[in-house]
Amino acid sequence: MPASPTVALLGTGTMGAPMARNLLRAGLAVRVWNRSPEKAQALGDDGAEISADPATAVRGADVVVTMLDAAAAVRETIAAAAPGLTHDQVWVQASTVGVAGTQGLAALAEDLGPRFVDAPVLGTLGPAQDGTLVILASGPDDAIDVAQPVFDAVGSRTMRVGAAGAGTRLKLVANSWVLAVTAATAEAFALAQGLDLDPRLFVEAVSGGPLDLPYLHVKGQSMLDDAYPTAFSVKNALKDARLVGDAADGAGVRNGISAVAAEHLDRALQAGHGEDDMAALFKGV
């Protein structure tokens, strides 16, 4: 495989589009395809080749990257790409699709031929734009080696965490923490308001001490401002909360916080905040 592989990126939404731009900045040849074609068109101005369908995008590519919103969308897209896939390619599955979803896609890869790398990412829109995602790569080392120039272009760090599937499991563990912190922030703010206190007093009380953390200030400020520019949407956070719950159930582990976060997120979704940032969970408390 070349040191500068040709990359087919399938999915150019909130995360995929900035990842494509960072691949182009790194000098890689990039083809892109998206289910909503208009979301991919702007990437043509940046130097990407716009493909009319998944099979055209992947044909002759060294690395195929999927960055879509759910296992069903990934499966449908890769099935459509099948005529262009070969055993020489590496398929980097970067979408967060859960334990069962990843197992199903790994089995599909065996049927279709490309070597499968399960590599979800830590980070939302800002890190995707900055090229500072953390890549949780799992799969055969030789396949990860082929994909490493892709990971270097979109991320600040690549963790090799074991056989395919381990990356997804680690991503769900990390997401359980993100959901817990977001829900805890929202509930603390709601409690402060219920007790006739300004939530800013809580933030001031913990600032600079062992209970402080940057994430509290980022998501907390959105809640205080009642403004939710999207880094990671309520809709996708709810999907991930349910995937965390499914993983916990499958492992026989109690994970009540993800269930509570899912309830808050679902109420926020029903209130019309599905496309807002996940900090809008506050609207569902």
Side-chain angles (χ1 to χ4, degrees), residues 192-235:
Q193 291 176 339
L195 296 175
D196 199 26
L197 292 169
D198 185 338
R200 291 175 177 80
L201 292 172
F202 159 66
V203 176
E204 182 180 351
V206 301
S207 290
L211 298 178
D212 196 8
L213 74 167
Y215 196 82
L216 164 64
H217 295 271
V218 172
K219 297 304 181 186
Q221 194 61 53
S222 286
M223 297 175 193
L224 291 169
D225 293 342
D226 196 27
Y228 306 101
T230 306
F232 190 71
S233 72
V234 164
K235 179 178 67 176

Side-chain angles (χ1 to χ4, degrees), residues 33-166:
W33 172 87
N34 195 69
R35 288 174 293 175
S36 301
E38 63 277 6
K39 291 186 177 180
Q41 289 304 317
L43 292 167
D45 296 335
D46 297 312
E49 179 181 334
I50 310 299
S51 299
D53 57 73
T56 301
V58 305
R59 190 170 286 113
D62 302 304
V63 179
V64 176
V65 180
T66 46
M67 179 54 89
L68 297 152
D69 61 0
V74 178
R75 177 175 287 275
E76 178 182 334
T77 298
I78 288 296
L85 294 173
T86 71
H87 292 271
D88 295 329
Q89 293 171 314
V90 171
W91 171 17
V92 173
Q93 207 307 97
S95 318
T96 302
V97 298
V99 173
T102 298
Q103 290 170 344
L105 294 174
L108 181 61
E110 286 189 14
D111 292 339
L112 297 179
R115 289 175 289 169
F116 185 75
V117 175
D118 166 42
V121 300
L122 296 183
T124 53
L125 177 60
Q129 292 172 328
D130 297 340
T132 56
L133 297 167
V134 176
I135 317 299
L136 308 179
S138 59
D141 279 333
D142 60 347
I144 295 176
D145 289 342
V146 172
Q148 193 62 56
V150 174
F151 298 151
D152 290 343
V154 302
S156 60
R157 184 159 54 103
T158 300
M159 295 178 62
R160 299 193 182 203
V161 297

Side-chain angles (χ1 to χ4, degrees), residues 12-38:
T12 59
T14 300
M15 297 292 287
M19 289 171 67
R21 290 188 173 95
N22 283 321
L23 291 169
L24 290 163
R25 291 187 190 106
L28 303 184
V30 180
R31 298 120 170 233
V32 296
W33 172 87
N34 195 69
R35 288 174 293 175
S36 301
E38 63 277 6

